[in-house]
Amino acid sequence: MVKSRTAPTLNDVAKEAGVSTATVSRCLNSPARVVDETRKRVLKAVDKLGYTPNIAARIMAANRSYSIGAIIPTMDNAIFARGLQAFQDQLREKGYSLLVASSAYRPEIEKDQIRTLVARGVDGLLLIGHERKHEIYDYLEQHQVPALVAWSYMPEARQPSVGFDNRGAMCDLARRVLTAGHRHIGLISGVTEGNDRALSRVEGVRDALAEAGHGAEAMTLIETPYGIDNGARAFAEMMQRNPRPTAVMCGNDVLAVGALREAQSLGISVPGEVAITGFDDIELAEIISPSLTTVHVPHREMGRKAASELIDMVEGRSEGQSTCISTHIVSRHSLVAPKN
């Protein structure tokens, strides 16, 4: 006869670890409130016994799912990886789990995903950028689901944000390009429709050109979906324009890597014949040759602060405070003065 086995309980874990059930509960739900030695002892007991918390009971008792949803535009490249990892790490420290969805930069998919995550009972939502219909925010307010925007800082916007000034950061980089002596700039941008981050970066370059007294003819703009291959194709097209730009600024590092690859394929020297810049400062920007001059975005800091603020919103300690994360230019080898 097979003996029936009962699942280990909270009392079993407390007995094994030599602590109270309240301490076990704190360790599992709010680990930051428990000293390291006690937490390690409790977690060792959890592993030994194979204990699994009764999530359903916890949800019913607290009227909260202890889960946060995040909808990012893409999982195809590393742009969002650092920030999202830091966001998840901070949530975990506070006893929350993360549910992630990707919208492929399509508003109708994002709308469906928001409704799905709300239906699954998430306590809050992290969204990327402010560009979406007001009815979505109305829906979230109706269902009392706090939402925070990241990767963009717009204090005048309806939703609070923990992000950075895309327009100002790109304007600073364009000033650096102009100071190096470039007078005709090519800009390979992500698709600006429905993407306030991409549009703000385009506007940042225009701001710098206007500030320096240059007209619209000083910039050649090509919009393309993000991707290395798309950056390469856009660069090849850019090199056919007349006059040919002496500097090509890219809306992110992924596009810039594609541009660099295509330049090498075409036998165009970078930065000798054309300078190339990126935006984001992902790992690839440093290891590619020549290394990319780019805008460093502190993704991990942004992710941690976004998680802390969203938890405060969920737990009623904040109505949503916006925070601007500082960026800075990283000068590397892909930008020098033009030869002529």
Side-chain angles (χ1 to χ4, degrees):
M1 181 180 294
V2 179
K3 294 183 178 179
S4 62
R5 298 181 61 184
T6 59
T9 66
L10 196 73
N11 285 329
D12 295 331
V13 175
K15 184 177 179 180
E16 177 69 27
V19 298
S20 68
T21 55
T23 298
V24 175
S25 180
R26 275 197 302 274
C27 184
L28 296 177
N29 298 328
S30 303
R33 297 173 54 195
V34 182
V35 297
D36 286 344
E37 182 180 347
T38 301
R39 184 170 63 249
K40 290 177 181 177
R41 195 162 70 247
V42 170
L43 294 179
K44 183 178 179 181
V46 167
D47 288 340
K48 179 179 178 180
L49 298 175
Y51 172 73
T52 301
N54 188 334
I55 300 298
R58 183 187 180 205
I59 290 173
M60 289 181 65
N63 194 27
R64 188 179 298 159
S65 69
Y66 291 93
S67 63
I68 299 293
I71 303 174
I72 61 175
T74 181
M75 295 183 185
D76 282 344
N77 57 55
I79 292 173
F80 299 103
R82 289 180 186 170
L84 201 61
Q85 183 64 55
F87 183 76
Q88 178 178 263
D89 291 344
Q90 188 71 12
L91 290 181
R92 183 176 179 275
E93 286 187 14
K94 302 298 183 181
Y96 287 80
S97 59
L98 176 64
L99 301 177
V100 183
S102 173
S103 67
Y105 288 97
R106 293 173 58 184
E108 72 276 13
I109 293 179
E110 185 194 57
K111 180 180 178 180
D112 290 342
Q113 290 169 336
I114 287 173
R115 289 181 175 274
T116 297
L117 287 169
V118 171
R120 288 181 177 273
V122 295
D123 296 323
L125 271 177
L126 180 75
L127 302 172
I128 308 301
H130 291 277
E131 183 87 8
R132 57 186 54 83
K133 292 181 178 179
H134 289 293
E135 66 186 54
I136 292 177
Y137 295 131
D138 293 340
Y139 171 82
L140 291 171
E141 290 176 3
Q142 177 186 1
H143 288 267
Q144 299 182 336
V145 177
L148 180 73
V149 168
W151 270 268
S152 180
Y153 174 73
M154 294 183 180
E156 72 282 2
R158 179 173 177 178
Q159 293 302 120
S161 58
V162 175
F164 54 94
D165 181 0
N166 285 274
R167 184 169 182 165
M170 196 64 155
C171 182
D172 287 343
L173 182 58
R175 288 190 188 111
R176 182 73 60 90
V177 171
L178 291 168
T179 300
H182 296 277
R183 294 296 175 262
H184 187 75
I185 295 174
L187 175 57
I188 301 175
S189 168
V191 177
T192 57
E193 183 178 0
N195 186 334
D196 53 17
R197 288 92 59 213
L199 179 59
S200 292
R201 294 175 196 183
V202 172
E203 290 172 339
V205 177
R206 287 176 174 150
D207 289 345
L209 288 169
E211 181 183 277
H214 300 298
E217 70 281 356
M219 183 181 78
T220 299
L221 172 65
I222 296 176
E223 294 189 15
T224 183
Y226 293 120
I228 291 177
D229 290 343
N230 292 331
R233 283 189 288 268
F235 181 83
E237 180 183 341
M238 189 76 72
M239 292 300 99
Q240 299 299 316
R241 299 294 179 90
N242 187 20
R244 193 167 91 169
T246 61
V248 175
M249 301 183 67
C250 298
N252 67 15
D253 292 338
V254 173
L255 292 173
V257 168
L260 272 171
R261 189 185 71 178
E262 185 65 13
Q264 292 166 354
S265 176
L266 295 172
I268 297 173
S269 172
V270 178
E273 295 178 67
V274 61
I276 295 177
T277 65
F279 196 108
D280 281 316
D281 197 23
I282 61 176
E283 286 88 347
L284 199 56
E286 185 174 6
I287 65 175
I288 197 167
S289 181
S291 56
L292 273 175
T293 291
T294 187
V295 172
H296 175 78
V297 176
H299 295 97
R300 292 188 179 93
E301 178 189 357
M302 179 173 58
R304 288 192 297 269
K305 289 187 175 180
S308 294
E309 181 61 33
L310 187 50
I311 290 172
D312 283 347
M313 292 167 66
V314 165
E315 297 183 353
R317 292 187 295 272
S318 171
E319 294 183 357
Q321 298 295 319
S322 292
T323 301
C324 187
I325 306 295
S326 296
T327 61
H328 64 269
I329 297 170
V330 179
S331 295
R332 296 195 179 103
H333 298 110
S334 66
L335 173 62
V336 296
K339 285 185 176 181
N340 299 318

